[in-house]
Amino acid sequence: MNRTVLVAVHTGREAAVESARLVIKRLVDAGITVKVLDTEADELGCHGIEAVHGDPGAAEDAEVMIVLGGDGSLLRAAELAKPAGTPLLGVNLGHVGFLAEAEVADLASAVDAVVAGRYDVEERMTVDVIARQNGRLIADTWALNEVTVEKQERMLEVVAEIDGRPLSRWGCDGVICATPTGSTAYAFSAGGPVVWPEVEALLMVPISAHALFAKPLVVSPRSTLAVEILPDTPGGVMWCDGRRKFEVPSGTRVEVRRGAEPVRLARLHGVESTGAPFTDRLVAKFELPVQGWRGRARP
C-alpha cells in the first residue's frame, strides 16, 4: 500500500529547514511518498518529493502531516489538516510548544515511529464561530484554540450570554472563548483556568473587565456562548487562533459553539519525550517547581 506524508515547516528558520530535510530523507528512504507545500518546496530543495498547493485539499490523501515549528505553525497546519481529518504531528522548534508531540532532539525517533505506524490519534475539540451585525453575516469560521473579540482603540462595551440568557455587561479589553486546548494559550495569559485536554468544556474569559463579576467561566460543551458588542459603542476586531482577523463593528453578535469537526493529533509510542501525562507537560513547559514531592507511599 502506498503511504503518503505531508511535511510542513517554518522555513524562516535555517534549523527548521535542515530538520525538515532530515525528515524528508528518512521518509523517502522508507519508501513513503512525501508531499510539501509549494510555497516551501524551493527552500527545502529536496528531490523525490511532490509540491502541493496550500489549500484545504492539501492533506487529502496524507496519512499524517508532520509540522516542524512552534504552536503557530501547528495552528497554520490545522487549517489544512482539519478538512481531510489528517492527524497532525508537531515537532517543537519554538519556545513552549504545547501542541507539539516531540522535541527536535527526538526527531529521528519520531519519524521512525511514523514509519513503523507506532502512533495513536487523539481528537481535540474545535469551536465554530458565526458573527452577524443586524442580520448581515460578517464571519462563519472556526478555531482550535480560541476566538477573541478585542478592542481596537477604545474599551469595548459588551454583554456576555450563555445558552440564550444574558450573563453580564462588561467594559473590557476583550472576551476570549476557548477550548480546553486553548486554555494554555491566550486564555491562560488572561487569567483563565488550565483545563486538561480530555475534559470536554468551553471557556469564556474576559480580558481586563471593569466589573464586579468578571470571572473566567467553564461551561458545558453543549452550551452556546455569545458576545454582543453594544450599539452606539466602539467596535472591535475578532481573531480566530490569532490567524484569521475580522472587523466587528458596534451591534455585532458573535456566537461560539462546539465545532462540528475536531482537529486530530498523532500521539507517538516509544519516543522518550512523548506520551507524557498532561501534568508532566505542564511542569516541563512552564518549568513549575516540584522539588520536595514524594508521591504516594509505597506499601
Side-chain angles (χ1 to χ4, degrees):
M1 183 181 71
N2 184 41
R3 301 172 65 193
T4 300
V5 170
L6 176 60
V7 176
V9 59
H10 189 319
T11 54
R13 304 178 185 177
E14 183 57 34
V17 172
E18 290 301 320
S19 295
R21 289 170 179 161
L22 185 151
V23 168
I24 291 168
K25 182 179 187 308
R26 220 170 178 92
L27 291 170
V28 170
D29 288 348
I32 294 176
T33 299
V34 177
K35 294 184 178 181
V36 300
L37 301 178
D38 54 5
T39 53
E40 301 170 357
D42 288 344
E43 193 160 351
L44 290 172
C46 297
H47 299 289
I49 59 175
E50 179 183 340
V52 295
H53 293 298
D55 55 36
E60 194 64 49
D61 59 352
E63 174 184 331
V64 173
M65 182 174 181
I66 298 178
V67 185
L68 296 99
D71 280 348
S73 298
L74 262 293
L75 292 171
R76 175 173 66 99
E79 298 175 7
L80 304 179
K82 176 175 170 279
T86 301
L88 291 167
L89 173 62
V91 179
N92 182 35
L93 303 178
H95 298 291
V96 180
F98 250 105
L99 291 172
E101 174 65 1
E103 300 296 324
V104 68
D106 304 310
L107 188 58
S109 299
V111 177
D112 290 346
V114 170
V115 170
R118 297 195 309 269
Y119 63 88
D120 296 319
V121 175
E122 169 185 303
E123 293 189 344
R124 292 290 183 93
M125 277 181 61
T126 59
V127 288
D128 288 337
V129 191
I130 293 180
R132 291 189 176 93
Q133 183 202 37
N134 299 325
R136 176 176 68 92
L137 184 65
I138 294 174
D140 184 354
T141 184
W142 69 282
L144 171 59
N145 271 354
E146 75 279 305
V147 178
T148 63
V149 179
E150 303 178 42
K151 71 176 186 180
Q152 284 191 297
E153 296 180 1
R154 295 170 54 196
M155 184 172 63
L156 286 178
E157 290 286 343
V158 305
V159 173
E161 173 192 299
I162 307 292
D163 293 328
R165 302 302 303 159
L167 176 73
S168 187
R169 174 172 172 167
W170 296 322
C172 58
D173 286 353
V175 181
I176 302 169
C177 298
T179 66
T181 299
S183 73
T184 51
Y186 193 1
F188 177 86
S189 300
V194 174
V195 181
W196 265 236
E198 61 267 26
V199 175
E200 295 193 336
L202 295 173
L203 285 71
M204 178 180 278
V205 182
I207 307 171
S208 302
H210 296 261
L212 179 63
F213 182 85
K215 299 297 184 182
L217 305 173
V218 181
V219 304
S220 164
R222 296 178 296 280
S223 290
T224 298
L225 313 182
V227 177
E228 293 185 352
I229 302 177
L230 295 179
D232 302 319
T233 63
V237 61
M238 182 178 78
W239 286 95
C240 295
D241 286 338
R243 289 190 46 78
R244 296 177 298 283
K245 178 183 177 183
F246 305 87
E247 302 290 331
V248 283
S250 61
T252 297
R253 175 182 172 87
V254 176
E255 292 187 355
V256 179
R257 54 178 52 86
R258 181 177 187 160
E261 298 175 350
V263 165
R264 308 175 80 208
L265 301 180
R267 295 304 187 200
L268 303 176
H269 307 165
V271 177
E272 184 176 348
S273 68
T274 66
F278 185 70
T279 306
D280 291 352
R281 287 187 178 227
L282 278 179
V283 170
K285 298 295 184 181
F286 291 136
E287 299 181 351
L288 302 179
V290 293
Q291 295 86 355
W293 176 72
R294 298 176 63 186
R296 293 175 182 167
R298 291 178 172 80

